[in-house]
Amino acid sequence: GQKDINVCFNGSMNGYGERNTFVNILKSNISIHISGGQREHRLTIHQYAEVLKRSKISLNFPNKPDGCVQGKCRIYESMLCGCLLMERENPVIQRWFAPNIDYVPFNNENELLEKIKYYLQNDEERNKIIQSATKKMRENYSSKNWWDIVTKESKKW
């Protein structure tokens, strides 16, 4: 499909100070497509996937408003839709994926902006990370793997 969106963030903004800080700085420097959280500007699952499929880079911010850091489904959704995931630095995602091999971590607004500009100008490097993430997703986290584990575990009962 056509990759006509450079950078997207699909998620809620209300109540997420960190997201707003990062996104507002990005908006004044680059073109960013913002849409669809669970509570505001809702997208259907098809619309949500379409935005990700059309995007070169998908952003993720793992902090909840209460400060808890989590592994969001957006990690997997972005990878399966073939866009480069840029994730705010956190230890949770490293349980499953390798930084700078399967996704690109960032710590602050300036670093994120620099990395976005770099990966938008370097298609080969961006695509290498996307391919690594997609391969890892399909090999380790497919629905077949899930059901094989469930079936194996249920036989123990």
Side-chain angles (χ1 to χ4, degrees):
Q2 185 179 358
K3 296 281 188 183
D4 59 350
I5 298 172
N6 280 337
V7 181
C8 76
F9 176 69
N10 287 336
S12 297
M13 297 297 287
N14 293 340
Y16 290 88
E18 177 188 52
R19 293 177 184 182
N20 283 289
T21 300
F22 275 89
V23 167
N24 288 334
I25 288 169
L26 292 177
K27 276 191 214 177
S28 63
N29 288 282
I30 61 167
S31 172
I32 179 170
H33 180 89
I34 301 169
S35 61
Q38 290 181 354
R39 292 162 195 83
E40 74 262 8
H41 310 295
R42 295 188 69 161
L43 299 176
T44 67
I45 191 67
H46 297 291
Q47 292 168 324
Y48 180 86
E50 187 62 29
V51 169
L52 288 174
K53 287 185 209 174
R54 291 174 48 205
S55 298
K56 294 176 184 174
I57 296 172
S58 172
L59 302 179
N60 188 45
F61 304 95
N63 290 15
K64 290 173 48 180
D66 65 6
C68 176
V69 178
Q70 57 186 344
K72 305 281 287 178
C73 287
R74 194 175 301 107
I75 294 169
Y76 308 101
E77 295 157 351
S78 297
M79 290 178 176
L80 286 170
C81 286
C83 52
L84 175 65
L85 174 68
M86 288 196 176
E87 166 97 358
R88 173 87 146 121
E89 185 72 54
N90 85 80
V92 177
I93 189 174
Q94 292 179 30
R95 294 177 188 169
W96 308 289
F97 301 102
N100 300 307
I101 295 172
D102 303 314
Y103 72 100
V104 175
F106 61 90
N107 286 299
N108 59 54
E109 298 89 341
N110 290 332
E111 182 183 8
L112 175 58
L113 187 57
E114 287 175 23
K115 287 183 176 186
I116 286 171
K117 288 177 179 178
Y118 177 82
Y119 282 102
L120 287 176
Q121 293 171 356
N122 292 278
D123 294 346
E124 191 174 319
E125 289 185 50
R126 186 180 70 244
N127 289 330
K128 183 178 175 182
I129 295 171
I130 291 168
Q131 288 168 0
S132 177
T134 302
K135 183 175 188 265
K136 191 170 281 184
M137 282 295 302
R138 290 190 176 142
E139 287 176 357
N140 299 321
Y141 307 113
S142 70
S143 57
K144 180 187 180 324
N145 288 359
W146 166 257
W147 287 112
D148 287 348
I149 291 167
V150 169
T151 303
K152 180 181 170 187
E153 292 298 315
S154 68
K155 289 178 181 175
K156 294 179 182 177
W157 301 342

